[in-house]
């Protein structure tokens, strides 16, 4: 609903601009940024070590697939134990994907690494039990 309201507001603002300001021949340009899915995590007390063991498994799958760029911050101050920034390789459009084909490929590689889909699900389920609370945000890094 918020996105719809913003889109309508943007359309209203654009419609109010003088015709000269709306250059129909201008080619729209994407921002020169790298998008990230940023996860702020508070671990269940005493479970951060196990959580990072599982994160290492996830990163092994990334390496197998030739993926890089995940940033895993171990926090020393503030309310969060970890902040993990995952590259959104498909850009901001990933927010709208119903089924991400790259995610499916990653899930299959992880399942192969750990011994099958059932074992992969058990690891995902265990990982989720290690999280006391979390937040997810989307942000970007300017390339310029």
């Amino acid at each position: 609903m918020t996105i719809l309201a913003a889109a309508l507001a943007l359309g209203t603002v654009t419609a109010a601009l003088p015709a000269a300001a709306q250059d129909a021949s201008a080619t729209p340009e994407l921002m020169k940024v790298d998008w990230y899915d940023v996860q702020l995590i508070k671990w269940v007390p005493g479970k951060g070590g196990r959580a990072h063991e599982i994160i290492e498994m996830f990163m092994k799958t990334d390496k197998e697939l030739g993926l890089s760029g995940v940033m895993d911050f171990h926090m020393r101050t503030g309310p969060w134990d970890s902040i993990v920034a995952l590259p959104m390789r498909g850009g901001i459009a990933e927010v709208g994907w119903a089924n991400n084909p790259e995610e499916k490929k990653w899930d299959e590689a992880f399942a192969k690494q750990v011994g099958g889909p059932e074992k992969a699900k058990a690891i995902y389920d265990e990982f989720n039990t290690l999280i006391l609370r979390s937040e997810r945000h989307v942000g970007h890094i300017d390339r310029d």
Side-chain angles (χ1 to χ4, degrees):
M1 190 61 100
T2 304
I3 293 172
L4 178 60
L8 290 173
L10 181 60
T12 304
V13 171
T14 303
L17 292 174
Q22 296 180 24
D23 183 0
S25 65
T27 303
E29 184 178 339
L30 290 174
M31 295 170 37
K32 292 178 175 69
V33 299
D34 293 320
W35 291 96
Y36 286 84
D37 174 357
V38 181
Q39 301 178 19
L40 297 84
I41 305 165
K42 180 71 174 175
W43 303 115
V44 170
K47 300 297 183 179
R50 176 61 181 149
H52 285 284
E53 289 173 9
I54 295 173
I55 289 171
E56 288 298 320
M57 289 184 214
F58 296 159
M59 292 177 97
K60 182 179 176 186
T61 300
D62 282 355
K63 187 175 180 180
E64 259 182 48
L65 293 172
L67 304 174
S68 63
V70 172
M71 292 179 269
D72 181 13
F73 298 93
H74 300 236
M75 303 307 295
R76 296 289 180 223
T77 61
W80 304 106
D81 296 323
S82 295
I83 298 176
V84 179
L86 303 156
M88 296 171 68
R89 293 175 180 89
I92 192 67
E94 284 188 16
V95 173
W97 287 351
N99 295 302
N100 180 337
E102 293 302 313
E103 191 173 306
K104 182 179 182 213
K105 185 172 147 183
W106 191 95
D107 287 341
E108 289 169 353
F110 182 70
K112 184 177 177 184
Q113 173 193 321
V114 298
E118 296 80 23
K119 288 186 179 180
K121 183 183 181 321
I123 291 170
Y124 291 138
D125 290 346
E126 178 189 3
F127 185 75
N128 288 328
T129 69
L130 305 175
I131 299 170
L132 183 63
R133 70 178 184 278
S134 66
E135 289 183 14
R136 291 180 81 170
H137 300 274
V138 172
H140 70 266
I141 296 173
D142 294 325
R143 282 189 241 139
D144 299 18

